[in-house]
Amino acid sequence: MYNKRLLATAVTIGSALAISTPALADDGLGDYRDRFEPLPHLPAIPADNSLTDAKVELGNMLFFEPRISSSGVISCATCHNPALGWSDRIPRATGHDGQIGERNTPTVLNSGFLGSQFWDGREPDLEGQAVGPIEADVEMAMDLDQALERLEGFEVYEQKFAAAFPDDEDPISADNLAHAIASFERTLNTPDSPFDRYLHGDLDALSDQQKDGMVAFVDNGCIACHRGPALTDSQFHRIQVPGSTDVGRFDVTGEESDRHRFRTPTLRNVAVTYPYMNNGATETLEEAVAIMGKEMLGRDFEEQTIADITAFLHTLTGEQPDYEVPALP
């Protein structure tokens, strides 16, 4: 179902490109545009987890399924709320028994384009990320075997897992649960933002101030870490934002050089995924731009530069993904 929609969209974009390409150089900013990449409709699909309608449909159900949490009331969608930019818009996530996590909830949008998952990169891909919160004491606090037992109690899940993994003798498994959720998450992408339309040749998609912000973003070095289609290098950089004592990737590697290092967050949809930083203590995008300028680039940005870059970042809010809130058994 989603394959046909993507194909139709690709045809539409291709037609638009054919019409608009001759005007590409008109605003004189071609050298800046060439530093960026538009967001594809889908990320790379791993060889061991082909993307199928059946997996996406099952993953959609599991993403919203609270019974795979210990309390029976928390789901993936609790912290990754579609109405809130697929995040939660609170400084740090609230999990099992009202516990407050140590870090801000990253958006799941476009997460298939990331080189690793979580702020500290402790999982390399979405399959690894999918089951982590289920078992985490501070999140869903559910033993994975017990979660699978709960799913086995519903005939509809037996049918959905069998349809998604027809070659498996026992399809309701931890690996298949992870593969299904990861498949659904790989469809949660936001192409066709104003900036993508600009990169594809619609020079009127950005205002003059937004273009000034793009120029400032490049000239001040922001693009060194925020690059590629998801505007992240997926690398780890040292930063101690105000109020944070989090040691970051050091928790994963134990290497002193990784103390206070965090994976570069995507800037896609950043205007709707506030608050910011690993501790969620930064409330506004303007404040975040100022902090990053000072902490990462050693620059005290002027107010106009902050306003221009912020205006540019607003152009990265893309078309939100199609999905259905599933009818759970």
Side-chain angles (χ1 to χ4, degrees), residues 6 15 21 26 44-45 145 169-170 201 212 220 226 275 304 313:
L6 290 177
S15 299
T21 297
D26 286 357
I45 309 302
D145 288 336
E169 184 176 345
D170 298 308
D212 288 344
N220 284 285
H226 294 286
Q304 187 61 55
L313 295 177

Side-chain angles (χ1 to χ4, degrees), residues 168-189:
D168 289 13
E169 184 176 345
D170 298 308
I172 300 182
S173 67
D175 282 348
N176 289 347
L177 181 149
H179 279 63
I181 294 177
S183 293
F184 173 63
E185 290 178 340
R186 283 197 177 91
T187 69
L188 301 178
N189 308 309

Side-chain angles (χ1 to χ4, degrees), residues 3-317:
N3 292 349
K4 294 179 181 178
R5 182 168 63 250
L6 290 177
L7 178 60
T9 305
V11 171
T12 301
I13 290 176
S15 299
L17 277 172
I19 294 172
S20 59
T21 297
L24 276 177
D26 286 357
D27 65 355
L29 297 175
D31 289 344
Y32 287 92
R33 280 195 306 275
D34 289 344
R35 302 289 298 274
F36 296 93
E37 301 175 45
L39 187 75
H41 284 263
L42 285 173
I45 309 302
D48 63 349
N49 190 18
S50 59
L51 194 66
T52 67
D53 286 334
K55 287 182 188 176
V56 172
E57 182 179 354
L58 172 60
N60 188 1
M61 295 179 68
L62 295 171
F63 192 88
F64 286 89
E65 177 55 83
R67 283 167 292 201
I68 56 176
S69 69
S70 180
S71 64
V73 298
I74 298 175
S75 70
C76 302
T78 300
C79 294
H80 299 288
N81 189 328
L84 303 176
W86 296 79
S87 184
D88 55 17
R89 289 188 184 165
I90 57 178
R92 294 176 295 155
T94 300
H96 180 70
D97 202 26
Q99 297 177 85
I100 305 299
E102 294 183 354
R103 294 170 182 164
N104 178 252
T105 301
T107 179
V108 75
L109 291 172
N110 307 304
S111 54
F113 292 96
L114 303 179
S116 62
Q117 303 295 321
F118 299 107
W119 279 99
D120 55 20
R122 63 184 179 273
E123 292 293 344
D125 51 36
L126 287 175
E127 284 75 12
Q129 180 275 332
V131 297
I134 297 174
E135 298 181 290
D137 291 342
V138 74
E139 296 184 65
M140 298 167 76
M142 186 63 170
D143 178 82
L144 199 53
D145 288 336
Q146 291 183 13
L148 296 173
E149 288 179 9
R150 286 188 180 181
L151 296 176
E152 289 171 349
F154 296 94
E155 182 179 356
V156 65
Y157 277 124
E158 291 184 352
Q159 295 171 349
K160 296 294 184 182
F161 271 92
F165 304 97
D167 297 328
D168 289 13
E169 184 176 345
D170 298 308
I172 300 182
S173 67
D175 282 348
N176 289 347
L177 181 149
H179 279 63
I181 294 177
S183 293
F184 173 63
E185 290 178 340
R186 283 197 177 91
T187 69
L188 301 178
N189 308 309
T190 59
D192 201 34
S193 69
F195 188 56
D196 289 310
R197 296 198 297 273
Y198 176 70
L199 293 179
H200 283 305
D202 180 2
L203 302 186
D204 294 325
L206 267 60
S207 69
D208 288 342
Q209 184 183 25
Q210 290 166 343
K211 292 179 183 180
D212 288 344
M214 175 188 69
V215 171
F217 186 89
V218 172
D219 287 351
N220 284 285
C222 307
I223 199 171
C225 297
H226 294 286
R227 60 179 188 264
L231 288 164
T232 170
D233 59 2
S234 286
Q235 300 299 309
F236 302 91
H237 303 278
R238 189 181 189 280
I239 181 171
Q240 276 189 276
V241 298
S244 175
T245 58
D246 194 331
V247 297
R249 189 159 173 76
F250 177 80
D251 277 340
V252 178
T253 67
E255 297 289 339
E256 191 60 36
S257 60
D258 281 330
R259 188 178 292 274
H260 303 301
R261 287 185 182 271
F262 297 90
R263 179 181 50 75
T264 306
T266 175
L267 292 184
R268 291 285 178 175
N269 306 287
V270 67
V272 297
T273 54
Y274 51 87
Y276 306 107
M277 308 301 174
N278 56 277
N279 62 349
T282 303
E283 296 183 1
T284 70
L285 199 49
E286 288 83 359
E287 184 183 1
V289 171
I291 289 173
M292 294 304 290
K294 186 174 184 63
E295 298 295 328
M296 298 302 295
L297 301 173
R299 301 181 182 220
D300 289 315
F301 286 150
E302 296 180 355
E303 288 188 9
Q304 187 61 55
T305 300
I306 293 174
D308 290 346
I309 292 178
T310 299
F312 166 65
L313 295 177
H314 275 273
T315 73
L316 303 176
T317 302

